[in-house]
Amino acid sequence: MGQVLFYKDLWKEEFWENPWELGGLIVIGLFTVTFLFFILFAVLFGLLFPSEQTENEE
């Protein structure tokens, strides 16, 4: 059982030392944050500036 915990800790340390793995994690994080920001932006401006109805639309 102790050996399994050792390998798990070793894997975690190796993951953070590999720059490609860390770079991929950063790219995925930036993509997710950007996507959520665009959704927030759309909702915010949709609520602040609702479209005005013209006379033809009832």
Side-chain angles (χ1 to χ4, degrees):
M1 184 68 181
Q3 233 177 1
V4 174
L5 294 175
F6 172 73
Y7 287 130
K8 190 179 275 191
D9 291 338
L10 184 63
W11 179 82
K12 287 181 182 178
E13 290 175 9
E14 287 178 359
F15 179 82
W16 294 112
E17 289 175 2
N18 187 351
W20 286 104
E21 299 288 340
L22 188 58
L25 195 61
I26 290 171
V27 168
I28 291 170
L30 285 174
F31 178 77
T32 305
V33 168
T34 304
F35 184 73
L36 292 174
F37 175 75
F38 283 146
I39 290 174
L40 178 67
F41 184 80
V43 169
L44 183 66
F45 281 97
L47 293 175
L48 287 179
F49 305 112
S51 60
E52 296 178 10
Q53 291 184 352
T54 60
E55 293 177 10
N56 296 338
E57 296 177 3
E58 291 186 29

CSV table of all heavy atoms in Angstrom, one decimal:
chain,number,residue,atom,x,y,z
A,1,MET,N,0.8,-1.2,0.0
A,1,MET,CA,0.0,0.0,0.0
A,1,MET,C,0.9,1.3,0.0
A,1,MET,O,0.6,2.2,-0.6
A,1,MET,CB,-0.9,0.0,1.2
A,1,MET,CG,-1.9,1.1,1.3
A,1,MET,SD,-3.1,0.9,0.0
A,1,MET,CE,-4.1,2.3,0.2
A,2,GLY,N,2.0,1.2,0.7
A,2,GLY,CA,2.9,2.4,0.8
A,2,GLY,C,3.5,2.7,-0.6
A,2,GLY,O,3.8,3.8,-0.9
A,3,GLN,N,3.7,1.6,-1.4
A,3,GLN,CA,4.3,1.8,-2.7
A,3,GLN,C,3.4,2.5,-3.6
A,3,GLN,O,3.7,3.3,-4.4
A,3,GLN,CB,4.7,0.4,-3.3
A,3,GLN,CG,6.1,0.4,-3.7
A,3,GLN,CD,6.5,-1.0,-4.3
A,3,GLN,OE1,5.7,-1.9,-4.3
A,3,GLN,NE2,7.7,-1.1,-4.6
A,4,VAL,N,2.1,2.2,-3.5
A,4,VAL,CA,1.1,2.9,-4.4
A,4,VAL,C,1.0,4.4,-4.1
A,4,VAL,O,1.0,5.2,-5.0
A,4,VAL,CB,-0.3,2.2,-4.1
A,4,VAL,CG1,-1.4,3.0,-4.9
A,4,VAL,CG2,-0.3,0.8,-4.6
A,5,LEU,N,1.1,4.7,-2.8
A,5,LEU,CA,1.1,6.1,-2.4
A,5,LEU,C,2.4,6.8,-2.9
A,5,LEU,O,2.3,8.0,-3.4
A,5,LEU,CB,0.9,6.3,-0.9
A,5,LEU,CG,-0.4,5.9,-0.3
A,5,LEU,CD1,-0.3,6.0,1.2
A,5,LEU,CD2,-1.5,6.7,-0.9
A,6,PHE,N,3.5,6.1,-2.9
A,6,PHE,CA,4.7,6.7,-3.4
A,6,PHE,C,4.6,7.0,-4.9
A,6,PHE,O,5.0,8.0,-5.3
A,6,PHE,CB,5.9,5.7,-3.1
A,6,PHE,CG,7.2,6.1,-3.7
A,6,PHE,CD1,7.9,7.2,-3.2
A,6,PHE,CD2,7.7,5.5,-4.8
A,6,PHE,CE1,9.1,7.6,-3.8
A,6,PHE,CE2,8.9,5.9,-5.4
A,6,PHE,CZ,9.6,6.9,-4.9
A,7,TYR,N,4.1,6.0,-5.7
A,7,TYR,CA,4.0,6.2,-7.1
A,7,TYR,C,3.0,7.4,-7.4
A,7,TYR,O,3.2,8.1,-8.4
A,7,TYR,CB,3.5,5.0,-7.8
A,7,TYR,CG,4.6,3.9,-7.9
A,7,TYR,CD1,4.4,2.6,-7.5
A,7,TYR,CD2,5.9,4.2,-8.4
A,7,TYR,CE1,5.4,1.7,-7.5
A,7,TYR,CE2,6.9,3.3,-8.4
A,7,TYR,CZ,6.6,2.0,-8.0
A,7,TYR,OH,7.6,1.1,-8.1
A,8,LYS,N,1.9,7.5,-6.6
A,8,LYS,CA,1.0,8.6,-6.9
A,8,LYS,C,1.6,9.9,-6.6
A,8,LYS,O,1.4,10.9,-7.4
A,8,LYS,CB,-0.2,8.4,-5.9
A,8,LYS,CG,-1.4,9.3,-6.3
A,8,LYS,CD,-2.6,9.0,-5.3
A,8,LYS,CE,-3.4,7.9,-5.9
A,8,LYS,NZ,-4.7,7.7,-5.2
A,9,ASP,N,2.4,10.1,-5.6
A,9,ASP,CA,3.1,11.3,-5.3
A,9,ASP,C,4.1,11.6,-6.3
A,9,ASP,O,4.3,12.7,-6.8
A,9,ASP,CB,3.7,11.3,-3.9
A,9,ASP,CG,2.7,11.3,-2.8
A,9,ASP,OD1,1.6,11.7,-3.0
A,9,ASP,OD2,3.1,10.8,-1.7
A,10,LEU,N,4.8,10.6,-6.8
A,10,LEU,CA,5.9,10.7,-7.8
A,10,LEU,C,5.2,11.2,-9.1
A,10,LEU,O,5.7,12.1,-9.8
A,10,LEU,CB,6.6,9.4,-8.0
A,10,LEU,CG,7.8,9.4,-9.0
A,10,LEU,CD1,8.9,10.4,-8.5
A,10,LEU,CD2,8.3,8.0,-9.2
A,11,TRP,N,4.1,10.7,-9.5
A,11,TRP,CA,3.4,11.1,-10.7
A,11,TRP,C,3.0,12.5,-10.6
A,11,TRP,O,3.1,13.3,-11.6
A,11,TRP,CB,2.1,10.2,-10.9
A,11,TRP,CG,1.4,10.6,-12.2
A,11,TRP,CD1,1.7,10.2,-13.4
A,11,TRP,CD2,0.3,11.4,-12.2
A,11,TRP,NE1,0.8,10.8,-14.3
A,11,TRP,CE2,-0.1,11.5,-13.6
A,11,TRP,CE3,-0.5,12.1,-11.3
A,11,TRP,CZ2,-1.2,12.3,-14.0
A,11,TRP,CZ3,-1.5,12.9,-11.7
A,11,TRP,CH2,-1.9,13.0,-13.1
A,12,LYS,N,2.5,13.0,-9.5
A,12,LYS,CA,2.0,14.4,-9.3
A,12,LYS,C,3.2,15.3,-9.5
A,12,LYS,O,3.1,16.3,-10.1
A,12,LYS,CB,1.4,14.6,-8.0
A,12,LYS,CG,0.0,14.0,-7.9
A,12,LYS,CD,-0.6,14.3,-6.5
A,12,LYS,CE,-2.0,13.6,-6.4
A,12,LYS,NZ,-2.6,13.8,-5.1
A,13,GLU,N,4.4,14.9,-8.9
A,13,GLU,CA,5.6,15.8,-9.1
A,13,GLU,C,6.1,15.8,-10.5
A,13,GLU,O,6.4,16.9,-11.0
A,13,GLU,CB,6.7,15.2,-8.1
A,13,GLU,CG,6.4,15.4,-6.7
A,13,GLU,CD,7.4,14.8,-5.8
A,13,GLU,OE1,8.4,14.4,-6.3
A,13,GLU,OE2,7.2,14.8,-4.6
A,14,GLU,N,6.0,14.7,-11.2
A,14,GLU,CA,6.5,14.6,-12.6
A,14,GLU,C,5.6,15.4,-13.5
A,14,GLU,O,6.0,16.1,-14.4
A,14,GLU,CB,6.6,13.2,-13.1
A,14,GLU,CG,7.7,12.4,-12.5
A,14,GLU,CD,7.7,11.0,-13.0
A,14,GLU,OE1,6.8,10.6,-13.8
A,14,GLU,OE2,8.6,10.2,-12.6
A,15,PHE,N,4.3,15.4,-13.2
A,15,PHE,CA,3.3,16.2,-14.0
A,15,PHE,C,3.6,17.7,-14.0
A,15,PHE,O,3.6,18.3,-15.0
A,15,PHE,CB,1.9,16.0,-13.5
A,15,PHE,CG,0.8,16.7,-14.3
A,15,PHE,CD1,0.4,16.2,-15.4
A,15,PHE,CD2,0.4,17.9,-13.8
A,15,PHE,CE1,-0.6,16.9,-16.2
A,15,PHE,CE2,-0.6,18.6,-14.5
A,15,PHE,CZ,-1.1,18.1,-15.7
A,16,TRP,N,3.9,18.2,-12.8
A,16,TRP,CA,4.2,19.7,-12.8
A,16,TRP,C,5.5,20.1,-13.3
A,16,TRP,O,5.8,21.2,-13.6
A,16,TRP,CB,4.0,20.2,-11.3
A,16,TRP,CG,2.6,20.0,-10.9
A,16,TRP,CD1,2.1,19.2,-10.0
A,16,TRP,CD2,1.5,20.8,-11.4
A,16,TRP,NE1,0.7,19.3,-9.8
A,16,TRP,CE2,0.3,20.3,-10.7
A,16,TRP,CE3,1.3,21.8,-12.3
A,16,TRP,CZ2,-1.0,20.8,-10.9
A,16,TRP,CZ3,0.0,22.3,-12.6
A,16,TRP,CH2,-1.1,21.8,-11.9
A,17,GLU,N,6.5,19.1,-13.4
A,17,GLU,CA,7.8,19.4,-13.9
A,17,GLU,C,7.8,19.4,-15.4
A,17,GLU,O,8.7,20.0,-16.0
A,17,GLU,CB,8.8,18.4,-13.4
A,17,GLU,CG,9.1,18.5,-11.9
A,17,GLU,CD,10.0,17.4,-11.4
A,17,GLU,OE1,10.4,16.6,-12.2
A,17,GLU,OE2,10.3,17.4,-10.2
A,18,ASN,N,6.9,18.8,-16.1
A,18,ASN,CA,6.9,18.7,-17.5
A,18,ASN,C,6.2,20.0,-18.1
A,18,ASN,O,5.1,20.3,-17.9
A,18,ASN,CB,6.0,17.5,-18.0
A,18,ASN,CG,6.1,17.3,-19.5
A,18,ASN,OD1,6.6,18.1,-20.2
A,18,ASN,ND2,5.6,16.2,-19.9
A,19,PRO,N,7.0,20.8,-18.8
A,19,PRO,CA,6.5,22.1,-19.3
A,19,PRO,C,5.3,21.9,-20.3
A,19,PRO,O,4.4,22.8,-20.4
A,19,PRO,CB,7.7,22.8,-19.9
A,19,PRO,CG,8.6,21.7,-20.2
A,19,PRO,CD,8.4,20.6,-19.2
A,20,TRP,N,5.3,20.8,-21.1
A,20,TRP,CA,4.2,20.7,-22.1
A,20,TRP,C,2.9,20.4,-21.4
A,20,TRP,O,1.9,20.8,-21.8
A,20,TRP,CB,4.6,19.5,-23.0
A,20,TRP,CG,5.6,19.9,-24.0
A,20,TRP,CD1,6.9,19.6,-24.0
A,20,TRP,CD2,5.4,20.8,-25.1
A,20,TRP,NE1,7.6,20.2,-25.0
A,20,TRP,CE2,6.7,20.9,-25.8
A,20,TRP,CE3,4.4,21.5,-25.7
A,20,TRP,CZ2,6.9,21.7,-26.9
A,20,TRP,CZ3,4.5,22.3,-26.8
A,20,TRP,CH2,5.8,22.4,-27.4
A,21,GLU,N,2.9,19.6,-20.3
A,21,GLU,CA,1.7,19.3,-19.6
A,21,GLU,C,1.2,20.6,-18.9
A,21,GLU,O,0.0,20.9,-18.9
A,21,GLU,CB,2.0,18.2,-18.5
A,21,GLU,CG,2.4,16.9,-19.0
A,21,GLU,CD,1.3,16.2,-19.8
A,21,GLU,OE1,0.1,16.5,-19.5
A,21,GLU,OE2,1.6,15.3,-20.6
A,22,LEU,N,2.1,21.3,-18.3
A,22,LEU,CA,1.7,22.6,-17.6
A,22,LEU,C,1.2,23.6,-18.7
A,22,LEU,O,0.2,24.3,-18.4
A,22,LEU,CB,2.9,23.2,-16.9
A,22,LEU,CG,2.6,24.3,-16.0
A,22,LEU,CD1,1.6,24.0,-14.9
A,22,LEU,CD2,3.9,24.8,-15.3
A,23,GLY,N,1.8,23.7,-19.8
A,23,GLY,CA,1.4,24.6,-20.9
A,23,GLY,C,0.0,24.2,-21.4
A,23,GLY,O,-0.9,25.1,-21.6
A,24,GLY,N,-0.3,22.9,-21.5
A,24,GLY,CA,-1.6,22.5,-22.0
A,24,GLY,C,-2.7,22.8,-21.0
A,24,GLY,O,-3.8,23.2,-21.3
A,25,LEU,N,-2.3,22.6,-19.7
A,25,LEU,CA,-3.3,23.0,-18.6
A,25,LEU,C,-3.6,24.5,-18.6
A,25,LEU,O,-4.7,24.9,-18.5
A,25,LEU,CB,-2.7,22.6,-17.3
A,25,LEU,CG,-3.6,22.5,-16.1
A,25,LEU,CD1,-4.7,21.5,-16.4
A,25,LEU,CD2,-2.9,22.1,-14.9
A,26,ILE,N,-2.6,25.3,-18.9
A,26,ILE,CA,-2.8,26.7,-18.9
A,26,ILE,C,-3.7,27.1,-20.1
A,26,ILE,O,-4.6,27.9,-20.0
A,26,ILE,CB,-1.4,27.5,-19.0
A,26,ILE,CG1,-0.7,27.3,-17.7
A,26,ILE,CG2,-1.6,28.9,-19.4
A,26,ILE,CD1,0.7,27.8,-17.7
A,27,VAL,N,-3.4,26.5,-21.3
A,27,VAL,CA,-4.2,26.8,-22.5
A,27,VAL,C,-5.7,26.4,-22.3
A,27,VAL,O,-6.6,27.2,-22.6
A,27,VAL,CB,-3.6,26.1,-23.7
A,27,VAL,CG1,-4.6,26.1,-24.9
A,27,VAL,CG2,-2.3,26.7,-24.1
A,28,ILE,N,-5.9,25.2,-21.7
A,28,ILE,CA,-7.3,24.8,-21.4
A,28,ILE,C,-8.0,25.8,-20.4
A,28,ILE,O,-9.1,26.1,-20.6
A,28,ILE,CB,-7.3,23.4,-20.9
A,28,ILE,CG1,-6.9,22.4,-22.0
A,28,ILE,CG2,-8.7,23.0,-20.3
A,28,ILE,CD1,-6.6,21.0,-21.6
A,29,GLY,N,-7.2,26.2,-19.4
A,29,GLY,CA,-7.8,27.1,-18.5
A,29,GLY,C,-8.1,28.5,-19.1
A,29,GLY,O,-9.2,29.0,-18.8
A,30,LEU,N,-7.2,29.0,-19.9
A,30,LEU,CA,-7.5,30.3,-20.6
A,30,LEU,C,-8.7,30.2,-21.5
A,30,LEU,O,-9.5,31.1,-21.6
A,30,LEU,CB,-6.3,30.7,-21.4
A,30,LEU,CG,-5.1,31.3,-20.5
A,30,LEU,CD1,-3.9,31.6,-21.4
A,30,LEU,CD2,-5.6,32.5,-19.8
A,31,PHE,N,-8.8,29.1,-22.2
A,31,PHE,CA,-9.9,28.9,-23.1
A,31,PHE,C,-11.3,28.8,-22.3
A,31,PHE,O,-12.2,29.5,-22.7
A,31,PHE,CB,-9.8,27.6,-23.9
A,31,PHE,CG,-10.9,27.3,-24.8
A,31,PHE,CD1,-11.1,27.9,-26.0
A,31,PHE,CD2,-11.9,26.3,-24.5
A,31,PHE,CE1,-12.1,27.7,-26.9
A,31,PHE,CE2,-13.0,26.0,-25.3
A,31,PHE,CZ,-13.1,26.7,-26.5
A,32,THR,N,-11.3,28.1,-21.2
A,32,THR,CA,-12.5,28.1,-20.4
A,32,THR,C,-12.8,29.4,-19.8
A,32,THR,O,-14.0,29.8,-19.8
A,32,THR,CB,-12.2,27.0,-19.3
A,32,THR,OG1,-11.9,25.8,-19.8
A,32,THR,CG2,-13.5,26.8,-18.4
A,33,VAL,N,-11.8,30.1,-19.3
A,33,VAL,CA,-12.1,31.5,-18.7
A,33,VAL,C,-12.6,32.4,-19.8
A,33,VAL,O,-13.5,33.2,-19.6
A,33,VAL,CB,-10.8,32.0,-18.0
A,33,VAL,CG1,-11.0,33.5,-17.7
A,33,VAL,CG2,-10.5,31.2,-16.8
A,34,THR,N,-12.0,32.4,-21.0
A,34,THR,CA,-12.5,33.2,-22.1
A,34,THR,C,-13.9,32.9,-22.5
A,34,THR,O,-14.7,33.9,-22.7
A,34,THR,CB,-11.5,33.1,-23.3
A,34,THR,OG1,-10.2,33.4,-22.9
A,34,THR,CG2,-11.9,34.0,-24.4
A,35,PHE,N,-14.2,31.7,-22.6
A,35,PHE,CA,-15.6,31.3,-22.9
A,35,PHE,C,-16.6,31.7,-21.9
A,35,PHE,O,-17.6,32.3,-22.2
A,35,PHE,CB,-15.6,29.7,-23.1
A,35,PHE,CG,-17.0,29.2,-23.5
A,35,PHE,CD1,-17.4,29.4,-24.9
A,35,PHE,CD2,-17.8,28.5,-22.7
A,35,PHE,CE1,-18.6,28.9,-25.3
A,35,PHE,CE2,-19.0,28.1,-23.1
A,35,PHE,CZ,-19.4,28.2,-24.4
A,36,LEU,N,-16.3,31.6,-20.6
A,36,LEU,CA,-17.2,32.0,-19.6
A,36,LEU,C,-17.3,33.6,-19.6
A,36,LEU,O,-18.3,34.1,-19.3
A,36,LEU,CB,-16.7,31.5,-18.2
A,36,LEU,CG,-16.8,30.0,-18.0
A,36,LEU,CD1,-16.2,29.6,-16.7
A,36,LEU,CD2,-18.2,29.6,-18.1
A,37,PHE,N,-16.2,34.2,-19.9
A,37,PHE,CA,-16.2,35.7,-19.9
A,37,PHE,C,-17.1,36.2,-21.1
A,37,PHE,O,-17.9,37.1,-20.9
A,37,PHE,CB,-14.8,36.3,-20.1
A,37,PHE,CG,-14.8,37.7,-20.3
A,37,PHE,CD1,-15.0,38.6,-19.3
A,37,PHE,CD2,-14.5,38.3,-21.6
A,37,PHE,CE1,-14.9,40.0,-19.4
A,37,PHE,CE2,-14.5,39.7,-21.8
A,37,PHE,CZ,-14.7,40.5,-20.7
A,38,PHE,N,-17.1,35.5,-22.2
A,38,PHE,CA,-17.9,35.9,-23.3
A,38,PHE,C,-19.4,35.7,-23.0
A,38,PHE,O,-20.3,36.5,-23.4
A,38,PHE,CB,-17.6,35.2,-24.6
A,38,PHE,CG,-16.3,35.7,-25.3
A,38,PHE,CD1,-15.5,34.8,-25.9
A,38,PHE,CD2,-16.0,37.0,-25.3
A,38,PHE,CE1,-14.4,35.3,-26.6
A,38,PHE,CE2,-14.9,37.5,-25.9
A,38,PHE,CZ,-14.1,36.7,-26.5
A,39,ILE,N,-19.7,34.6,-22.3
A,39,ILE,CA,-21.1,34.4,-21.9
A,39,ILE,C,-21.6,35.4,-20.9
A,39,ILE,O,-22.6,36.0,-21.0
A,39,ILE,CB,-21.2,33.0,-21.2
A,39,ILE,CG1,-21.1,31.9,-22.3
A,39,ILE,CG2,-22.6,32.8,-20.5
A,39,ILE,CD1,-21.0,30.5,-21.8
A,40,LEU,N,-20.7,35.8,-19.9
A,40,LEU,CA,-21.0,36.8,-19.0
A,40,LEU,C,-21.2,38.2,-19.7
A,40,LEU,O,-22.1,38.9,-19.4
A,40,LEU,CB,-19.9,36.9,-17.9
A,40,LEU,CG,-20.1,38.0,-16.9
A,40,LEU,CD1,-21.3,37.7,-16.0
A,40,LEU,CD2,-18.8,38.2,-16.1
A,41,PHE,N,-20.3,38.5,-20.7
A,41,PHE,CA,-20.4,39.7,-21.4
A,41,PHE,C,-21.7,39.8,-22.2
A,41,PHE,O,-22.4,40.8,-22.2
A,41,PHE,CB,-19.2,39.7,-22.4
A,41,PHE,CG,-19.1,41.0,-23.2
A,41,PHE,CD1,-18.5,42.1,-22.7
A,41,PHE,CD2,-19.5,41.0,-24.5
A,41,PHE,CE1,-18.4,43.3,-23.4
A,41,PHE,CE2,-19.4,42.2,-25.3
A,41,PHE,CZ,-18.9,43.3,-24.7
A,42,ALA,N,-22.1,38.7,-22.8
A,42,ALA,CA,-23.4,38.7,-23.6
A,42,ALA,C,-24.6,38.8,-22.7
A,42,ALA,O,-25.5,39.6,-23.0
A,42,ALA,CB,-23.5,37.4,-24.4
A,43,VAL,N,-24.6,38.2,-21.6
A,43,VAL,CA,-25.7,38.3,-20.7
A,43,VAL,C,-25.8,39.7,-20.1
A,43,VAL,O,-26.9,40.3,-20.0
A,43,VAL,CB,-25.6,37.2,-19.5
A,43,VAL,CG1,-26.6,37.4,-18.4
A,43,VAL,CG2,-25.8,35.8,-20.1
A,44,LEU,N,-24.7,40.2,-19.7
A,44,LEU,CA,-24.6,41.5,-19.0
A,44,LEU,C,-25.1,42.6,-20.0
A,44,LEU,O,-26.0,43.4,-19.6
A,44,LEU,CB,-23.2,41.8,-18.6
A,44,LEU,CG,-23.0,43.2,-17.8
A,44,LEU,CD1,-23.7,43.1,-16.5
A,44,LEU,CD2,-21.5,43.4,-17.6
A,45,PHE,N,-24.6,42.6,-21.2
A,45,PHE,CA,-25.1,43.7,-22.1
A,45,PHE,C,-26.4,43.4,-22.7
A,45,PHE,O,-27.1,44.3,-23.2
A,45,PHE,CB,-24.0,43.8,-23.2
A,45,PHE,CG,-22.9,44.7,-22.8
A,45,PHE,CD1,-21.7,44.0,-22.4
A,45,PHE,CD2,-22.9,46.0,-22.7
A,45,PHE,CE1,-20.6,44.8,-21.9
A,45,PHE,CE2,-21.9,46.8,-22.3
A,45,PHE,CZ,-20.7,46.2,-21.9
A,46,GLY,N,-26.9,42.2,-22.7
A,46,GLY,CA,-28.3,41.9,-23.1
A,46,GLY,C,-29.2,42.4,-22.1
A,46,GLY,O,-30.4,42.8,-22.4
A,47,LEU,N,-28.9,42.4,-20.8
A,47,LEU,CA,-29.8,42.9,-19.8
A,47,LEU,C,-29.7,44.4,-19.6
A,47,LEU,O,-30.7,45.1,-19.3
A,47,LEU,CB,-29.4,42.2,-18.4
A,47,LEU,CG,-29.7,40.7,-18.3
A,47,LEU,CD1,-29.2,40.2,-16.9
A,47,LEU,CD2,-31.2,40.5,-18.4
A,48,LEU,N,-28.5,45.0,-19.8
A,48,LEU,CA,-28.3,46.4,-19.7
A,48,LEU,C,-28.9,47.2,-20.8
A,48,LEU,O,-29.5,48.3,-20.6
A,48,LEU,CB,-26.8,46.8,-19.6
A,48,LEU,CG,-26.2,46.4,-18.3
A,48,LEU,CD1,-24.7,46.8,-18.3
A,48,LEU,CD2,-26.8,47.1,-17.1
A,49,PHE,N,-28.8,46.7,-22.0
A,49,PHE,CA,-29.3,47.4,-23.2
A,49,PHE,C,-30.3,46.5,-24.0
A,49,PHE,O,-30.0,46.0,-25.0
A,49,PHE,CB,-28.1,47.8,-24.1
A,49,PHE,CG,-27.1,48.6,-23.4
A,49,PHE,CD1,-25.8,48.0,-23.2
A,49,PHE,CD2,-27.3,49.9,-23.0
A,49,PHE,CE1,-24.8,48.7,-22.6
A,49,PHE,CE2,-26.3,50.6,-22.4
A,49,PHE,CZ,-25.1,50.0,-22.2
A,50,PRO,N,-31.5,46.4,-23.4
A,50,PRO,CA,-32.5,45.6,-24.2
A,50,PRO,C,-32.9,46.3,-25.5
A,50,PRO,O,-32.9,47.5,-25.6
A,50,PRO,CB,-33.7,45.5,-23.2
A,50,PRO,CG,-33.5,46.6,-22.3
A,50,PRO,CD,-32.1,46.9,-22.2
A,51,SER,N,-33.2,45.5,-26.5
A,51,SER,CA,-33.5,46.0,-27.8
A,51,SER,C,-34.9,46.7,-27.7
A,51,SER,O,-35.8,46.2,-27.1
A,51,SER,CB,-33.6,45.0,-28.9
A,51,SER,OG,-34.5,44.0,-28.5
A,52,GLU,N,-35.0,47.9,-28.3
A,52,GLU,CA,-36.3,48.6,-28.2
A,52,GLU,C,-37.2,48.1,-29.3
A,52,GLU,O,-36.8,47.8,-30.4
A,52,GLU,CB,-36.0,50.1,-28.5
A,52,GLU,CG,-35.1,50.8,-27.4
A,52,GLU,CD,-34.9,52.2,-27.7
A,52,GLU,OE1,-35.5,52.7,-28.6
A,52,GLU,OE2,-34.0,52.8,-27.0
A,53,GLN,N,-38.5,48.0,-29.0
A,53,GLN,CA,-39.4,47.5,-30.0
A,53,GLN,C,-39.9,48.7,-30.9
A,53,GLN,O,-40.1,49.8,-30.4
A,53,GLN,CB,-40.6,46.9,-29.3
A,53,GLN,CG,-40.3,45.6,-28.6
A,53,GLN,CD,-41.5,44.9,-28.0
A,53,GLN,OE1,-42.6,45.5,-28.0
A,53,GLN,NE2,-41.4,43.7,-27.5
A,54,THR,N,-40.0,48.4,-32.1
A,54,THR,CA,-40.5,49.4,-33.0
A,54,THR,C,-42.0,49.4,-33.1
A,54,THR,O,-42.7,48.5,-32.5
A,54,THR,CB,-39.9,49.3,-34.4
A,54,THR,OG1,-40.3,48.0,-34.9
A,54,THR,CG2,-38.4,49.4,-34.4
A,55,GLU,N,-42.7,50.3,-33.8
A,55,GLU,CA,-44.1,50.3,-33.9
A,55,GLU,C,-44.7,49.0,-34.6
A,55,GLU,O,-45.8,48.6,-34.3
A,55,GLU,CB,-44.6,51.5,-34.7
A,55,GLU,CG,-44.3,52.8,-33.9
A,55,GLU,CD,-44.7,54.0,-34.7
A,55,GLU,OE1,-45.4,53.9,-35.7
A,55,GLU,OE2,-44.3,55.1,-34.2
A,56,ASN,N,-43.9,48.5,-35.6
A,56,ASN,CA,-44.4,47.3,-36.3
A,56,ASN,C,-44.4,46.0,-35.5
A,56,ASN,O,-45.2,45.2,-35.7
A,56,ASN,CB,-43.5,47.1,-37.5
A,56,ASN,CG,-43.6,48.2,-38.5
A,56,ASN,OD1,-44.6,49.0,-38.5
A,56,ASN,ND2,-42.6,48.4,-39.4
A,57,GLU,N,-43.6,46.0,-34.5
A,57,GLU,CA,-43.5,44.8,-33.6
A,57,GLU,C,-44.4,45.0,-32.5
A,57,GLU,O,-44.4,46.0,-31.7
A,57,GLU,CB,-42.1,44.6,-33.1
A,57,GLU,CG,-41.1,44.3,-34.2
A,57,GLU,CD,-39.7,44.2,-33.6
A,57,GLU,OE1,-39.5,44.3,-32.3
A,57,GLU,OE2,-38.7,44.0,-34.4
A,58,GLU,N,-45.3,44.0,-32.3
A,58,GLU,CA,-46.3,44.1,-31.1
A,58,GLU,C,-46.3,42.9,-30.3
A,58,GLU,O,-46.1,41.8,-30.7
A,58,GLU,CB,-47.7,44.4,-31.7
A,58,GLU,CG,-47.7,45.8,-32.2
A,58,GLU,CD,-49.2,46.2,-32.6
A,58,GLU,OE1,-50.1,45.7,-32.0
A,58,GLU,OE2,-49.3,47.0,-33.5
